[in-house]
Structures are given as C-alpha cells and as structure tokens.
C-alpha cells in the first residue's frame, strides 16, 4: 500500500512465501548408490551431499590452455574465490592429434590436473566431449576425424568406434579419482550444445560407463531448446552479451532477461549462430518442447564469467555485469552456479597451426588465434580481476547458507521490462528466506533508483517487513536481504538491510554482513536484546531494531547479548568486503583481509602482488607471519589491531621486486591503409585480417632486469586500434582484438629471448567504417593507432607461514 516518504510515494510490496513441497527422489538415473560415503543425490529441486542439500559453485578452467606450472595458482585462486569445484573441457584434438597417437603429457596431463584440484579441496566436473567447442578448431575434433567425413555427433557405428577408443583413454586417466573412489571427480558432461540428438547423448553416457567411469552426476547442456535424455541433467547458461551475435545487434534479445528475476531457465540465443549456420534452423520459443522443470533442479554450467570477442563483434562485459547476473540467477532459483569461463587461457598450437575456431573451419565467427582470456575473473595469465572479488562475496554467503538456500522455493515479482517497476523475488522455505532486489542493468540500458522500498513477506506464523521504514534503493545495485537468519546462541536476525557474507568461530560466534553503498543499515533482532557498538536501539513489534550510526568497515562490530555469551556481528563496507577471504590458514578457518590476491595452500598463504607494499590482516590472528622465499628482500612488520572494533592483526609486506616499469608512452605509429574488409564463414560476417604486411611495427627494447627476480612479468599495452600481435623471435606469442581492455602479454616464458632481442608489436589501425561492433562506452575513438602506454608489470609471489595462535575474546 502506498505511503508518504519525504514527499515521494513508497510502495510496500507484499509477498506470500510458498512453503516448498518435498522433492521427488529416485526418479532420475543420477546419484551415488545407497549407502555410499559422502553420497551425492539429485532430487527434483536440488542436489544433496551426505544427506544435506548441496549448492555447488563451479568455475570453468581449461587445463590444456594453462601452463602446467600455473595450475596450482589458478586453482588456488578458484578455491579462495569460494568455488567448491571446477569444470574442464577435454579437447580431443589436443589428446589425439593423429589417429591412435594419444598424448597426456605436459599441460595435457588430465590426471595431474584433477589431482591438483583435489589438493586444493576442489571437486571436478569433466566435460568429456567428444565435441566440446569452447571456440576450439572444429569444436575440438581432430582434423583427421573431420577429414574422414563421418556422421559425427550421431550413433553412426564408425564414429562411435573412434569415440569409444578416445573415451577409453580419458576414463583411464581418471582411474581412482572418481567420487566413489574417494577422489574429486563428481560429474561428467557428454558432448556440448547438441540439441537434436538425445539418443546419441544417452549413448555417450552408456559408453563411458561401460568403460568404467562411475560418477554421481551426468550432465548435458540444455539451452537452445535442447532435447536432453532422461539419463542426463540439463544445465543452463546466461550471458550478459555474446560475441556470436551479428555486428548490427546492439544488445542480444535474451540478455535483459538475465538481469531480472525469472524462472525461465533456457536462453535460445546461446549457440543459435551454430544451429543456424550448420542446419539453417533457428529454434523459435514456441517451437521448443518444454522440459518437465518440476522434475529437475535448476542448475547452470555457463553463467558468463566474462565474454570472449570475435572480429566482427567485441563485447565489453564489466565485473559489475558478471556479479549482478550471477546474483539474479540465485534470486531466480538456481541451485548450482557454474561459470564459463572462471579462468582464461591461451589457444593451443597443434599440427595444423593455431587451434582456434574460424571462418576457415566453417565457424560463423573469427576469434583471436591465441588469446582465450574471456575477460574472466582470473585472466589468461593469472591476473585477478575485480569480479573475482565481487563473486567471492556471493560464494562465501553460499558456503555459509547454501544448504538452506538450495531447499528454498522462489517467488518472482517485478519481472516486467518496465524500468520503473521494482524487480524483486523471495526465496524461502516458509520459515525463513531472503528478499532479492535489483536496480542493475548494464550501462547501455540502466535502471533508475527506486524510492521508498519496503517488502512485507508472509512467512509461517508472521509477516516480516524489511526494512521497518522504507528506504531508497540506489540505481545500479543488487541485494539479498536475510529474513529470520539464525545467528547463534538462540538469537535470530529477523531482517537486515545488509547482506550475509560469512560466519566463523573466532572464539565467539562472528557473523559478517556487508552493507550496500547508499543504503542505511538496519538490523532487526527478535526479542529484547542488549547491543553494544555503533548502533541506536529501539523496541518495535517484539524485536530490537538497531540502526547503524557509524560507517560500515572492518572495525564496525556490534555485540549482541545472549544466554551463553551472545554473538558478534561485523558490518563491512563494500570496499572492505571485496578484500575479505575466508581461508584455512595454520590449521583453522580465518578471515583474511588483503590488498593483493592470495590463496591458502598447505596451511600457508600464497600472495601474488603487483604492488611493492601490501597489508594483510587476519582474524583470529596468529602470533606471527614468516615470509619466504628465503633470501628475498621481503620484510614483514606486525601491528595488532586496537580500538573498540574487531580485533584484527595486520602485517605490512614490503616487496620491492613488485611494481611497474614504463617501457613506452604516447606512441602514434603510422601504418599504410589497413587491408580491405573481407567477409567469410557460413553467415558472411567480417573476417579477421591475416595480412600484416602493412601493419605498424613497434619494436620494444625491454631490459633484462625488468624481467628478472619476479614470479611473472607481463607486458601491459594500453592502446586503441583494430587488431594486434606480439612477436618474439618472429613467433606470434599473443594477439588482441581491441575492444576497450588493456592487452596483457606474458613475457615469463620468453624472458631470455625478450631480454636479448626485444619484442615487436604489429598493429593494424582502427577504421570505424569497417563496421566492427564495440561497446558504446569505447566506441568514440579516432581512426588509426594510438598507444597510450606500455608497461612491464612485475608480479611477485610471497608465501606467508603462520606462527602460534593469538587468542581473543
């Protein structure tokens, strides 16, 4: 009902939360046998593990596209980012480059990759193929297979014979590593984006099982109206944008759907270019046979962790886009968050050259020959980006409360495309739940702020209204506010205008919340509760309402009294929340605040820093930290936290080796006229240039001392133009289709060559009339080439071992 609020109108949105019905069980050919240890089951509404609902968080990492000596680093960041599992393609072309010549060495060692994931506490979903895609040449098929002209991706016996031999090799790599054997492999996907061959998909699972692969979860991609057999769990996708769209498409038609709450699982735009190109078929929404969604949990495997680029169309998906889309899927009922990509990589070079998809292979889009960075949370060369931190906030919450959230049903409102409507949903089990609200859409079509927001949710026995007084919700935010969240010691957080981040036993029970910039923090605790800290208390409707009077931050601690000592509530600001990790350090779970990306390994902290000075804080804190490698010029100075807030202890790391070296600035290399635009592929789209004879050549002399003494050295190029290549000794080591992001080249594998001979950039000029699509935020650039700056980014690796425990009360 509308109420007055400072001269404006507010609206109380009233919701009756549905109590979920018991899930159907044993109707799917999925899950572990009865009595299995740590049994995984798949019900009609969610997955279970050891008898409890399980909310997996999975990120795609392609082992064959990441140097083997970087696997542990990338997987460490994934674990620190709140993932509990990773997925990975097995590219047939990489493992059998010639008939019968199987390769599992180097960074093709699937077994070693799975074992490394297990060491980091991560489960693994193996995407078996045989057709994978992932922008790999011929979708991952070896050239020799394509040349045979078989009826691939069908039950053609000649094709299945070859698949069986390939699967046998893959399954052998996983021997002893499956979940039933105490290993990390919990799931397998067969083929990818195959929408019209359900019998073949079923045969692929049967084949793998006959060869000895036993996993509890078998999946297939379900988007595009795919016909998925009953023996496989369909998984879905959602992308903020797509390089596979036409250059004339300003924003894909399905993309706005992903930023509002909706129980619609499918996205008919993903893979539509391939379906149309290969079959001449566009699947219309009214032609799609509906799956029985009531029989299957809503699970995803390709929430866009970023977006690749094609020559004709180059999206610029932002970290905020990624985080808002992911949270919208939780608010829409997802019970499995799967990201593609979570970590970028580099396209392989094989017997036929670079192994990317292209017009030459019959693909509708030309993509870069080397880079597969994907704008992912962890980049092609291990760069940790802002959305790694934004997503970690969501994942820590799912670690803390995912078992309860998975069992909650979803009520969606405000689903219209009208910008003035508040978009909301409620997930609840009838007893408790979360209110989801969003005013976020990408910058090209932003949503306005929402004045006077208040939601009243009817739960069992009572209605919870959040907030108690309407608040203005700023533009560009997404929130999930808790309802009846159990704190500890018998205390219940009836509602809050801050989000749950995590909880930890730090000597006292500690619950961590994160405020939303621009939204006043109100905590409502059931009953008459004493509170100390920066709050003003008032009694209202059988509860204690606490309005935060101080600024949220690392020392904003509210202590609630309880029958057995009470609970501490730490209210962080968003910038601090982006620095927060929950890691196993020195044999116990700790909260860690860090200026630089880090992860835990074997009880120690591993820090990767581009900055020469870093602060690390811990709670509960050990007595000391020791930095290595020994002999490195690294100092660690301890300073204990003081004051009335949370008792952090903080250390300052001095890492002189880290930092940046400027190589060049303000370059405007001239180049002859660029090649005339060409078109190709089955959809006649713009083709990437292959003639660099007229490119501007920028030789760079890089001193040896700029490359030595650090774990990794990246060349970072801030530029505008069309396409560029980086060459060392005449070999193309990196390429880049300009789209608004800086271009990073890993110099580490080429240190000696670069120090001796330098590196050359070959750059082709931007020409707007060519018709390449780039994001509106970077579209207004002049024709030609401009290099604003070239830096060597020196990334140091420091291991921090902990000393004795420091107690606090």
């Amino acid at each position: 009902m509308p109420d007055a609020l400072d001269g404006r109108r507010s609206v109380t949105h009233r919701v009756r939360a549905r109590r979920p019905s018991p899930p159907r069980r044993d109707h799917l050919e999925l899950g572990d046998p009865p009595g299995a240890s740590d049994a995984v089951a798949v019900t009609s509404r969610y997955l279970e593990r050891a008898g409890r609902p399980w909310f997996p968080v999975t990120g795609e990492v392609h082992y064959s596209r990441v140097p083997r000596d970087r696997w542990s680093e990338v997987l460490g960041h994934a674990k620190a980012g709140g993932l509990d599992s990773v997925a990975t393609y097995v590219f047939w072309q990489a493992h059998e480059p010639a008939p019968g010549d199987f390769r599992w060495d180097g960074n093709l060692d699937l077994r070693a990759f799975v074992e490394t994931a297990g060491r980091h506490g991560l489960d693994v979903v193996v995407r078996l193929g045989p057709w994978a895609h992932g922008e790999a040449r011929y979708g991952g098929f070896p050239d020799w297979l394509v040349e045979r002209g078989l009826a691939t991706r069908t039950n053609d016996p000649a094709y299945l014979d070859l698949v069986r031999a390939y699967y046998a090799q893959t399954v052998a790599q996983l021997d002893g590593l499956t979940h039933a054997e105490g290993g990390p492999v919990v799931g397998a996907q067969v083929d990818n984006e195959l929408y019209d061959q359900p019998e073949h998909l079923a045969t692929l699972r049967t084949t793998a099982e006959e060869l000895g692969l036993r996993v509890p979860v078998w999946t297939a991609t379900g988007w595009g109206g795919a016909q998925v057999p009953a023996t496989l769990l369909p998984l879905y996708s959602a992308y903020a944008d797509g390089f596979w769209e036409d250059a004339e498409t300003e924003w894909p038609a399905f993309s706005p759907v992903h930023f509002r709450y909706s129980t619609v699982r499918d996205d008919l735009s993903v893979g539509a270019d391939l379906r149309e190109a290969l079959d001449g078929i566009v699947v219309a929404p009214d032609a799609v046979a509906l799956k029985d969604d009531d029989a299957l949990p809503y699970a995803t495997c390709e929430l866009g962790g970023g977006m690749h680029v094609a020559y004709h169309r180059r999206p610029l998906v932002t970290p905020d886009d990624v985080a808002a889309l992911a949270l919208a899927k939780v608010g829409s009922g997802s019970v499995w968050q799967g990201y593609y990509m979570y970590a970028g990589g580099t396209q392989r070079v094989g017997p036929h050259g670079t192994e990317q998809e292209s017009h030459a292979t019959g693909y509708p889009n030309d993509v870069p020959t080397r880079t597969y960075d994907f704008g992912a949370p962890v980049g092609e060369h291990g760069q940790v980006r802002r959305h790694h931190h934004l997503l970690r906030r969501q994942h820590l919450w799912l670690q803390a409360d995912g078992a309860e959230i998975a069992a909650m049903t979803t009520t969606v409102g405000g689903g219209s495309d009208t910008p003035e409507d508040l978009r909301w949903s409620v997930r609840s089990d009838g007893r408790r739940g979360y209110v989801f609200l969003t005013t976020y859409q990408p910058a090209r079509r932003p949503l306005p702020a929402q004045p006077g927001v208040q939601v009243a949710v009817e739960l069992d026995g009572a209605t919870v209204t959040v907030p108690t007084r309407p608040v203005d919700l700023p533009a560009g935010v997404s929130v999930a506010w808790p309802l009846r969240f159990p704190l500890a010691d018998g205390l219940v957080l009836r509602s809050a205008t801050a989000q749950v981040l995590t909880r930890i036993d730090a000597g006292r029970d500690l619950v961590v919340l994160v405020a939303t910039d621009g939204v006043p923090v109100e905590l409502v605790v059931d009953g008459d509760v004493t509170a100390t800290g920066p709050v003003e208390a008032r009694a209202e409707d059988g509860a204690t309402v606490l309005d935060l009077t101080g600024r949220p931050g690392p020392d904003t601690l509210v202590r609630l009294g309880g029958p057995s000592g009470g609970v501490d509530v730490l209210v962080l600001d968003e910038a601090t929340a982006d620095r927060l990790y929950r890691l196993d350090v020195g044999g116990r779970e700790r909260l860690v605040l860090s200026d630089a990306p880090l992860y835990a390994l074997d009880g120690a902290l591993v820090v990767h820093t581009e900055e020469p000075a870093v602060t690390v804080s811990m709670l509960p804190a050990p007595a000391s930290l020791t930095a290595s490698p020994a002999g490195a010029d690294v100092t660690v100075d301890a300073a204990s936290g003081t004051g009335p807030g949370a008792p952090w202890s903080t250390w300052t790391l001095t890492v002189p080796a880290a930092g940046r070296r400027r190589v060049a600035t303000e370059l405007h290399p001239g180049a002859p006229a660029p090649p005339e635009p060409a078109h190709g592929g089955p959809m006649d789209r713009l083709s990437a240039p292959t003639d660099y004879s007229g490119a501007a050549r920028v030789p760079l002399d890089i001193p040896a001392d700029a490359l030595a003494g650090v774990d990794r050295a990246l060349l970072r190029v801030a530029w505008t133009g069309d396409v560029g290549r980086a060459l060392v000794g005449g070999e193309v080591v990196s390429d880049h289709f300009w789209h608004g992001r800086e271009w990073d080249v890993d110099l580490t594998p080429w240190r000696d060559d670069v120090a001796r001979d330098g590196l050359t950039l070959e750059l082709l000029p931007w020409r707007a009339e060519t018709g390449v699509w780039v994001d509106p935020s970077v579209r207004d650039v002049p024709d030609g080439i401009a290099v604003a700056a070239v830096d060597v980014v020196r990334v140091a690796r420091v291991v921090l071992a902990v000393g004795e425990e420091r107690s606090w009360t």
Side-chain angles (χ1 to χ4, degrees):
M1 173 177 299
D3 300 303
L5 179 70
D6 297 333
R8 294 164 296 175
R9 295 183 63 79
S10 65
V11 176
T12 300
H13 300 269
R14 303 188 181 278
V15 186
R16 182 174 182 177
R18 296 184 295 121
R19 174 174 277 278
S21 57
R24 291 172 59 187
R25 299 177 182 275
D26 303 323
H27 63 298
L28 302 171
E29 295 181 40
L30 301 168
D32 284 315
S37 175
D38 190 31
V40 173
V42 183
T43 77
S44 60
R45 293 184 36 238
Y46 48 81
L47 283 74
E48 286 184 340
R49 193 156 186 173
R52 296 191 68 221
W54 174 35
F55 199 129
V57 180
T58 307
E60 189 86 11
V61 180
H62 294 160
Y63 62 95
S64 63
R65 289 172 166 172
V66 176
R68 182 170 179 153
D69 61 1
R70 294 289 177 198
W71 286 350
S72 184
E73 174 188 335
V74 170
L75 294 169
H77 286 311
K79 180 66 173 179
L83 274 63
D84 64 3
S85 45
V86 293
T88 193
Y89 277 141
V90 183
F91 290 113
W92 191 351
Q93 64 189 199
H95 292 291
E96 194 181 5
D101 177 20
F102 289 99
R103 301 288 304 275
W104 302 97
D105 58 327
N107 73 332
L108 298 179
D109 193 339
L110 172 60
R111 182 176 190 82
F113 177 79
V114 172
E115 290 172 338
T116 305
R119 182 185 175 196
H120 283 278
L122 293 164
D123 290 323
V124 179
V125 177
V126 181
R127 302 180 86 175
L128 297 169
W131 193 88
H133 207 233
E135 288 65 65
R137 180 181 174 91
Y138 293 124
F141 278 163
D143 280 54
W144 60 262
L145 173 67
V146 175
E147 291 163 1
R148 293 191 183 188
L150 300 176
T152 57
R153 308 182 75 189
T154 72
N155 281 343
D156 173 73
Y159 173 63
L160 288 178
D161 284 346
L162 297 172
V163 170
R164 175 175 285 272
Y166 170 57
Y167 266 18
Q169 286 274 330
T170 304
V171 171
Q173 294 295 311
L174 304 175
D175 183 44
L177 298 178
T178 65
H179 180 64
E181 299 167 299
V185 180
V186 296
Q189 175 187 302
V190 295
D191 209 270
N192 188 51
E193 297 184 332
L194 184 60
Y195 64 96
D196 62 351
Q197 295 288 326
E199 296 86 0
H200 177 58
L201 293 175
T203 297
L204 291 175
R205 171 181 170 173
T206 299
T207 300
E209 287 185 314
E210 289 173 350
L211 293 166
L213 185 59
R214 295 284 187 273
V215 292
V217 182
W218 290 90
T219 74
T221 48
W223 54 82
Q227 302 170 41
V228 177
T231 55
L232 301 173
L233 175 65
L235 304 184
Y236 291 93
S237 65
Y239 288 95
D241 206 331
F243 71 84
W244 48 80
E245 296 282 346
D246 289 334
E248 294 76 22
T249 300
E250 193 60 29
W251 199 26
F254 260 75
S255 293
V257 175
H258 299 312
F259 290 93
R260 56 180 184 260
Y261 309 111
S262 170
T263 56
V264 175
R265 303 180 184 185
D266 203 356
D267 183 336
L268 299 179
S269 68
V270 180
D273 57 336
L274 271 178
R275 294 193 297 272
E276 182 176 357
L278 298 178
D279 303 315
I281 297 172
V282 177
V283 181
D286 58 1
V288 177
L290 296 178
K291 301 179 181 67
D292 182 6
D293 284 349
D294 290 337
L296 300 166
Y298 179 13
T300 69
C301 66
E302 288 198 19
L303 302 179
M307 180 47 58
H308 200 31
V309 295
Y311 181 74
H312 74 285
R313 193 172 198 281
R314 309 177 192 180
L316 185 62
V317 172
T318 70
D320 292 299
D321 294 343
V322 172
L325 184 149
L327 189 59
K329 292 307 167 184
V330 180
S332 298
S334 168
V335 295
W336 185 349
Q337 297 286 90
Y339 299 97
Y340 190 99
M341 296 288 295
Y342 190 80
T346 304
Q347 294 276 17
R348 295 180 51 79
V349 177
H352 301 275
T354 54
E355 292 188 343
Q356 88 286 356
E357 196 74 284
S358 67
H359 289 170
T361 61
Y363 187 55
N365 317 297
D366 264 355
V367 298
T369 64
R370 299 294 279 136
T371 183
Y372 199 66
D373 179 84
F374 216 86
V378 179
E380 177 181 7
H381 309 305
Q383 313 97 306
V384 174
R385 297 183 172 127
R386 182 167 170 262
H387 36 323
H388 171 76
H389 306 300
L390 297 177
L391 291 175
R392 185 176 62 250
R393 286 161 48 177
Q394 299 179 26
H395 302 160
L396 291 178
W397 165 51
L398 293 176
Q399 285 179 355
D401 208 27
E404 297 292 335
I405 296 169
M408 295 176 180
T409 56
T410 304
T411 304
V412 172
S416 81
D417 199 26
T418 304
E420 290 72 24
D421 288 348
L422 176 67
R423 296 177 177 183
W424 59 265
S425 77
V426 172
R427 282 191 81 156
S428 172
D429 59 9
R431 300 173 295 107
R432 51 173 298 232
Y434 289 90
V435 171
F436 294 81
L437 306 168
T438 186
T439 58
Y440 188 91
Q441 250 183 197
R444 74 192 73 173
R445 199 182 297 175
L447 298 177
Q450 289 286 340
V453 171
Q454 190 178 52
V455 181
V457 182
E458 184 181 337
L459 298 171
D460 291 351
T463 296
V464 176
T465 301
V466 57
T468 59
R469 298 169 181 171
V471 298
D472 295 344
L473 198 64
V477 301
S478 296
V479 301
W481 288 342
L483 306 173
R484 286 184 176 170
F485 180 78
L487 293 169
D489 200 16
L491 298 176
V492 175
L493 186 64
R494 181 183 294 183
S495 66
T497 56
Q499 296 176 234
V500 175
L501 189 54
T502 189
R503 63 194 314 160
I504 194 170
D505 177 4
R508 286 169 58 95
D509 290 308
L510 177 66
V511 174
V512 185
L513 306 179
V514 55
T516 299
D517 292 345
V519 177
V521 175
E522 174 192 84
L523 312 178
V524 182
V525 184
D526 279 349
D528 184 7
V529 178
T530 61
T532 59
V535 292
E536 289 183 351
R538 54 188 165 89
E540 185 173 310
D541 193 24
T544 302
V545 180
L546 304 172
D547 294 309
L548 196 69
T549 56
R551 294 175 62 87
D555 295 320
T556 304
L557 190 70
V558 180
R559 293 200 143 176
L560 305 176
S564 300
V567 179
D568 289 343
V569 178
L570 180 62
V571 185
L572 301 180
D573 61 291
E574 293 197 72
T576 301
D578 289 346
R579 299 173 56 236
L580 185 78
Y581 297 77
R582 184 180 182 203
L583 300 171
D584 186 345
V585 184
R588 69 167 299 165
E589 291 287 330
R590 305 178 196 270
L591 301 181
V592 181
L593 289 172
S594 176
D595 295 335
L598 50 73
Y599 58 89
L601 182 62
D602 298 334
L605 288 174
V606 182
V607 183
H608 291 268
T609 178
E610 300 178 7
E611 302 299 331
V614 179
T615 61
V616 176
S617 305
M618 277 191 273
L619 190 167
S624 63
L625 287 180
T626 303
S628 60
D633 188 11
V634 178
T635 60
V636 184
D637 301 317
S640 296
T642 59
W648 298 95
S649 287
T650 299
W651 288 263
T652 300
L653 280 64
T654 303
V655 192
R660 296 193 183 195
R661 301 274 191 94
R662 180 59 49 90
V663 174
T665 187
E666 294 297 331
L667 301 177
H668 296 275
E676 285 300 312
H679 293 74
M683 299 184 76
D684 198 36
R685 289 173 170 170
L686 281 167
S687 299
T690 57
D691 179 7
Y692 282 78
S693 60
R697 284 171 172 77
V698 181
L700 299 173
D701 292 324
I702 302 172
D705 64 354
L707 305 173
V710 286
D711 183 62
R712 183 164 63 253
L714 303 179
L715 190 74
R716 184 159 294 164
V717 184
W719 76 300
T720 59
D722 185 20
V723 298
R725 308 192 306 185
L727 290 83
V728 176
E731 179 180 351
V732 177
V733 299
S734 178
D735 62 346
H736 189 256
F737 293 177
W738 175 79
H739 57 289
R741 289 193 184 92
E742 293 176 320
W743 172 18
D744 282 356
V745 182
D746 188 2
L747 302 179
T748 314
W750 319 96
R751 279 194 237 240
D752 293 342
D753 295 322
V754 171
R756 184 183 63 247
D757 302 324
L759 175 144
T760 299
L761 301 179
E762 292 185 341
L763 309 175
L764 290 173
W766 179 255
R767 187 168 64 178
E769 67 181 27
T770 299
V772 169
W773 189 96
V774 293
D775 191 87
S777 65
V778 299
R779 192 173 291 168
D780 188 19
V781 297
D783 285 359
I785 303 167
V787 180
V790 181
D791 294 310
V792 174
V793 179
R794 294 167 53 80
V795 184
R797 180 181 187 270
V798 181
V799 178
L800 301 177
V802 303
E804 296 180 0
E805 197 72 13
R806 176 177 292 164
S807 63
W808 71 287
T809 59

